[in-house]
Amino acid sequence: MVTMREVAGLAGVSITTVSHVLNETRPVAESTKERVLKAIEETGYTGDAIARSLVTGGTKSLGLAVSLVSHPYFAELIAAIENEATSAGYTLVLIDTRDSADSEQAAVRMLRSRRVDGVLLTPTSGSAALPELRRLGIPTALVDRLTLGQDIDQVGPENVQATSALVTHLAELGHRRIGLVTGTPGLATTDERVLGYRLGLGRAGLKWDESLVGTSLEPMLGSVTGVVVSDHQVLIDVLHQARARGVRIGADLALVTYGEVEWADLVDPPLTTMSQPVEEIGRTAVRLLLSRIADPERPPETIRLAPELKHRHSCGCHPTPASTTSHPPERR
Amino acid sequence: MVTMREVAGLAGVSITTVSHVLNETRPVAESTKERVLKAIEETGYTGDAIARSLVTGGTKSLGLAVSLVSHPYFAELIAAIENEATSAGYTLVLIDTRDSADSEQAAVRMLRSRRVDGVLLTPTSGSAALPELRRLGIPTALVDRLTLGQDIDQVGPENVQATSALVTHLAELGHRRIGLVTGTPGLATTDERVLGYRLGLGRAGLKWDESLVGTSLEPMLGSVTGVVVSDHQVLIDVLHQARARGVRIGADLALVTYGEVEWADLVDPPLTTMSQPVEEIGRTAVRLLLSRIADPERPPETIRLAPELKHRHSCGCHPTPASTTSHPPERR
DNA sequence: CCGGACTGCGCAAGCGATTGCGTCGGACAC
DNA sequence: GTGTCCGACGCAATCGCTTGCGCAGTCCGG
């Protein structure tokens, strides 16, 4: 690698000067500056982030510790994060938490030893890494899966009201027995959606029935006329199960779902989905983290971004501008 | 951050000893070793990869420079790569090439300054970064998009024979006018698939017709009875276009496609796809890169992994064990 | 002609690790 | 008792950069 010493030699100055022209940290005579710049050009000098970090303390890098396997919007989210980070001059160090507390712990340790300036984390349930990060005062922002506490920066979708709205929609269409198929139990996101489901039930004057909630459609198949699917992963299962049982979505079973998938309008019937602002979540997370790095004393923020209902046909009603305000027929 | 000095102080030894017990680079008395380990435990010492790298030269990190936006299997690929890298003790530095030569150049510069031990690259067309990497002798492996030359390590799908097989399948079903809808022109992958398409045409005794090849289904809609879709991105467009025009896939138009998407069997009809061994591509790429890092003199390898035909219904034939060997009716 | 202010740079001390070389005891052979 | 060897460990240089301090000139007012 070409070092500052070489550049300095070529330009006939000290490495001090080279450093100063590079960082513009003190005035350098125009003519000298030019010589240095030329030398840099000639040698193809890139600088050594390692050495620089050693002395400055910062690394201009952010750790991204997420669960690669289980994140439905992973690609989009990561792209948004990468963009935002890069344009702020930060590099991303990616590491998979594998959705296990141990891996997560190891991942964070790794990031710590790599001295990242901040960590973007999608915590697993029972995360031990989170308290550790806080104890060490490492700037951290949570993405997508949030904690109940308000004492840390976090960004994620609004789940309670949104899920409630999904239930409400089905109820307004006349459904009285509405099921909920959830994703991985124990995750904050899952819990919140269950909560929203109950809320929606309550608002529609319907009663909670434990047998209508589960991680699979199968058990509730006979007893339900509408179903809310709370997770992308599980959506695919649900669709398979319905097909296997000959249940026609939209006709026999109204379905509304989380997971704005690219194929939502390619299946039959097109899926009515709750679409999350993934990109905005990613962007916001990075901003939050960067602003915390800049000012560690700033009070933590919890940001909930509202998802958007994409009204299509799987809920059983054909989307017309005012469809949800009409009085649908009573069912069952 | 807790440094080796603190640990050494606590254990009552020199930092030299701490370093040696950590790296097992020279024998240390059992009792001393224990004291050091205990001190490490107590302080929560993680080591400082930055400082370590400065002296050792290596960083135990790999740069992953891919196009985030345009990579269909991105999530899977990256997960595979992350896994393999992590289990080899390497960390991933992720950066988006944005599929532009300039961004790519900047990305690689960045990785260079971060002193990654090797680079995994999905080159853009007209990549300037590639020659630079080679000139500097930075270990590099190409993923997914390959170059024609054999003088660099690279892993990707086999495209020519696979595309040819797709065409052959349609031809065997009796189609005489078979179109090709391609992804981004100029990419090596696209070129290879076009080549495979011609090859398949030739094998079936069909003639190349320029008007049957393009990046959109629309123009060839009337004149074609079967179509090969060479890219995930474009597949969605094609499906939309077909739907908009009232063309029934499988019945009016036989379709075979690249892009083994998770929803392939959820649409109607289920899609016959060429499924790429994404995970294996990722794993292999990392292995190739690591082995190059270990032995820079090893001759470069080009590895093509064969995709697998997932036979479903969109090609117009119902998949039965021996369906492709039967004699289908002549069409058109 | 002198002193102070300013401009333009270089010296050298770190940053936190690794590692070649040395030192220091004690065991053992003679 | 002395020499040798070996096991167990510490000293200090080094990696490439940043940055506090200080020094040499120049310019200008008094």
Side-chain angles (χ1 to χ4, degrees), chain B residues 235-273:
Chain B
L235 168 62
I236 292 181
D237 288 347
V238 164
L239 260 19
H240 277 136
Q241 288 167 12
R243 166 169 300 193
R245 296 299 205 83
V247 174
R248 290 166 306 155
I249 301 292
D252 303 336
L253 178 71
L255 180 150
V256 293
T257 182
Y258 270 91
E260 169 61 2
V261 288
E262 57 185 0
W263 44 275
D265 59 350
L266 288 173
V267 294
D268 197 31
L271 304 172
T272 292
T273 65

Side-chain angles (χ1 to χ4, degrees), chain A residues 48 59 91 98 114-115 263, chain B residues 48 59 91 114-115 263:
Chain A
D48 185 330
T59 52
T91 308
R98 285 175 175 66
R114 287 216 127 77
R115 281 217 203 157
W263 43 276
Chain B
D48 185 329
T59 52
T91 308
R114 285 217 129 76
R115 281 217 204 158
W263 44 275

Side-chain angles (χ1 to χ4, degrees), chain B residues 215-229:
Chain B
T215 57
S216 167
L217 176 65
E218 215 100 50
M220 59 185 86
L221 218 39
S223 45
V224 119
T225 64
V227 66
V228 176
V229 180

